[in-house]
Amino acid sequence: IKTGPLDYITGYIGYSIVLFSEFLQDPGTSASTLWGSETFVGIYNFIGSHFGISNFVYTYHMQWRYIGVLSLGNVYTAYRYWLHDFGAVGMFFMAASYGMFYGAFYAKARSYRNPKHRLINYPLLMWSYFAYGVFMIPITDCLLATELVVTTPFVLLTMYVLGRYIENKQGVRVESS
């Protein structure tokens, strides 16, 4: 089967649902027996590598799947991680938790009363950094895998410092709180 760039992009976006369905029919095996091993792989690897716990350091690759001769890939949605790690009830709990987290964070950021002398709404800027995770749920779990990691405070601090620098360069008078 000959495919082009558009086939690849649409397949990458759409095959995750098909792959999740295939996972439900045949879950396969896991690289680790730790609780939450796929959801919290980044946390486990950090703890394992920094505190010498060898069974916390592991890599895993999702099973590559085919339907006939058509290669579907190994992108399964965030629901696959949650279902594997926590079962059906845990998957629903994780989805509800994400909804509450992002909804509350967004409501707080939107209701923030930006002082008139501020150019940047920092809570909304922080929410926009984390919002990537919402849009990636159909593909993977980004919030716990790439956003809530050790470097996140550094990224947020850098955003704040650069924002203040921009405000100062724009001549915005910023009073200390």
Side-chain angles (χ1 to χ4, degrees):
I1 298 174
K2 186 174 181 175
T3 59
L6 186 59
D7 296 310
Y8 179 78
I9 292 168
T10 56
Y12 194 81
I13 293 168
Y15 288 159
S16 60
I17 303 300
V18 176
L19 286 164
F20 183 62
S21 177
E22 290 290 314
F23 169 76
L24 293 174
Q25 294 173 20
D26 177 23
T29 60
S30 179
S32 175
T33 58
L34 296 169
W35 180 83
S37 63
E38 293 181 5
T39 303
F40 304 121
V41 65
I43 295 168
Y44 278 126
N45 280 320
F46 176 79
I47 292 170
S49 63
H50 286 82
F51 297 103
I53 305 170
S54 61
N55 65 330
F56 277 27
V57 179
Y58 60 93
T59 58
Y60 72 95
H61 301 284
M62 298 292 172
Q63 181 182 4
W64 197 274
R65 297 195 187 237
Y66 296 86
I67 292 183
V69 295
L70 182 62
S71 172
L72 298 181
N74 64 349
V75 177
Y76 289 87
T77 78
Y79 304 112
R80 185 249 185 259
Y81 297 95
W82 303 337
L83 182 64
H84 171 270
D85 288 342
F86 313 118
V89 173
M91 179 183 69
F92 292 121
F93 175 77
M94 290 294 288
S97 297
Y98 271 49
M100 288 187 288
F101 170 77
Y102 281 109
F105 197 164
Y106 181 72
K108 187 77 170 164
R110 290 288 298 154
S111 68
Y112 173 73
R113 297 288 169 227
N114 201 16
K116 292 182 193 282
H117 59 273
R118 282 279 167 89
L119 183 64
I120 298 170
N121 180 337
Y122 291 101
L124 194 58
L125 184 64
M126 286 174 44
W127 181 85
S128 67
Y129 172 75
F130 288 109
Y132 174 72
V134 170
F135 299 104
M136 290 300 290
I137 285 174
I139 297 173
T140 190
D141 180 10
C142 282
L143 181 65
L144 294 172
T146 61
E147 293 177 348
L148 292 179
V149 293
V150 177
T151 57
T152 298
F154 175 74
V155 170
L156 295 175
L157 179 64
T158 302
M159 288 169 56
Y160 177 76
V161 168
L162 288 175
R164 294 297 293 258
Y165 176 77
I166 290 168
E167 287 177 335
N168 288 335
K169 281 295 188 186
Q170 293 294 318
V172 175
R173 186 172 160 256
V174 179
E175 298 172 7
S176 299
S177 311

